[in-house]
Amino acid sequence: MAQGDPHAQSGYLKKVDKIVEHIDNIYARAPVAQLDRAADYESVGWGFESLRARFLRMTDDEKFMKEALVEAQKALEEGEVPVGAVVVHEGRIIGRGHNMTETLKDPTAHAEIIAITAAAAYLKNWRLEGAKLYVTLEPCIMCAGASVLARLEEIVFALPDPKFGGCISLYKIPEDARLNHRVRVRQGPLSEEIQKLMKSFFQKLRAKKS
């Protein structure tokens, strides 16, 4: 694109606008106009730094964890513990889920289980080799085991769970050398945002009970 060509610049911005419109849910459904608010426009030349530019530079971890956060917010709206998850394969989301234990009256209806089930249905294969699970809270023992059974490649969680965590906090099921498959585990971004969401939920829950 020529630096001084306004038509080329306009066409480029239109493409960026379409991308922002397509993935604005990652910013909690904020209006596109808000996303496009400039932080520092340069007075000379084509360069500028805006939220739009920052968004396009966002890492995969941030992008997919924000999608998991969107799922967690859905759980919150439904009165569920706000945990959300997405399964990513070859750079795209193939399964989504959020906690539905109260809605379905099912103790196994965790966000990870629902997302893994959706991903397996999408691929028509229970083996999710090469897939990654992004989840807002460290998976429990059940979900950690399901990740191994599904042959996931990696689990990325935002917030550790010292009471129920089956990946690093209480147990290390996905990386247990005694199992016939091991899943990499690491902590990802957005821990502060998700911790605030969890605290808000349990504060409201305690207030209702008191």
Side-chain angles (χ1 to χ4, degrees), residues 60-105:
D60 282 350
D61 277 1
E62 290 175 303
K63 180 171 66 174
F64 294 128
M65 192 62 76
K66 281 183 179 289
E67 289 289 348
L69 179 55
V70 168
E71 291 297 320
Q73 289 168 336
K74 290 178 184 177
L76 182 66
E77 292 168 3
E78 296 170 7
E80 302 274 359
V81 177
V83 178
V86 296
V87 175
V88 176
H89 184 258
E90 295 181 350
R92 61 179 178 176
I93 295 173
I94 61 169
R96 295 174 174 270
H98 57 273
N99 268 1
M100 298 187 72
T101 54
E102 296 294 337
T103 302
L104 299 179
K105 311 302 180 192

Side-chain angles (χ1 to χ4, degrees), residues 24-89:
D24 66 348
N25 280 337
I26 297 174
Y27 273 100
R29 302 181 187 278
V32 175
Q34 182 177 340
L35 293 176
D36 194 29
R37 193 171 297 156
D40 179 27
Y41 280 91
E42 294 178 0
S43 57
V44 179
W46 170 242
F48 64 89
E49 176 67 12
S50 67
L51 291 181
R52 178 193 295 168
R54 280 175 49 203
F55 189 85
L56 294 179
R57 290 202 316 271
M58 186 182 295
T59 67
D60 282 350
D61 277 1
E62 290 175 303
K63 180 171 66 174
F64 294 128
M65 192 62 76
K66 281 183 179 289
E67 289 289 348
L69 179 55
V70 168
E71 291 297 320
Q73 289 168 336
K74 290 178 184 177
L76 182 66
E77 292 168 3
E78 296 170 7
E80 302 274 359
V81 177
V83 178
V86 296
V87 175
V88 176
H89 184 258

Side-chain angles (χ1 to χ4, degrees), residues 71-199:
E71 291 297 320
Q73 289 168 336
K74 290 178 184 177
L76 182 66
E77 292 168 3
E78 296 170 7
E80 302 274 359
V81 177
V83 178
V86 296
V87 175
V88 176
H89 184 258
E90 295 181 350
R92 61 179 178 176
I93 295 173
I94 61 169
R96 295 174 174 270
H98 57 273
N99 268 1
M100 298 187 72
T101 54
E102 296 294 337
T103 302
L104 299 179
K105 311 302 180 192
D106 180 356
T108 70
H110 287 197
E112 301 95 318
I113 300 296
I114 294 171
I116 288 171
T117 300
Y122 179 85
L123 292 180
K124 296 181 173 58
N125 193 337
W126 63 269
R127 293 176 180 267
L128 303 181
E129 294 173 346
K132 298 181 181 183
L133 174 69
Y134 286 84
V135 58
T136 56
L137 185 68
E138 178 187 353
C140 68
I141 298 167
M142 173 183 70
C143 296
S147 298
V148 174
L149 293 173
R151 306 296 195 268
L152 288 174
E153 177 182 295
E154 187 174 45
I155 296 170
V156 184
F157 68 88
L159 195 66
D161 187 352
K163 293 185 177 180
F164 293 99
C167 295
I168 62 166
S169 296
L170 298 181
Y171 301 94
K172 296 183 179 180
I173 292 173
E175 296 180 325
D176 193 322
R178 294 170 295 178
L179 301 176
N180 66 349
H181 178 77
R182 283 172 290 284
V183 183
R184 291 196 308 270
V185 176
R186 61 186 172 87
Q187 188 169 359
L190 305 187
S191 60
E192 291 184 6
E193 293 94 323
I194 291 161
Q195 188 173 36
K196 288 178 183 177
L197 188 69
M198 297 291 286
K199 281 186 176 180

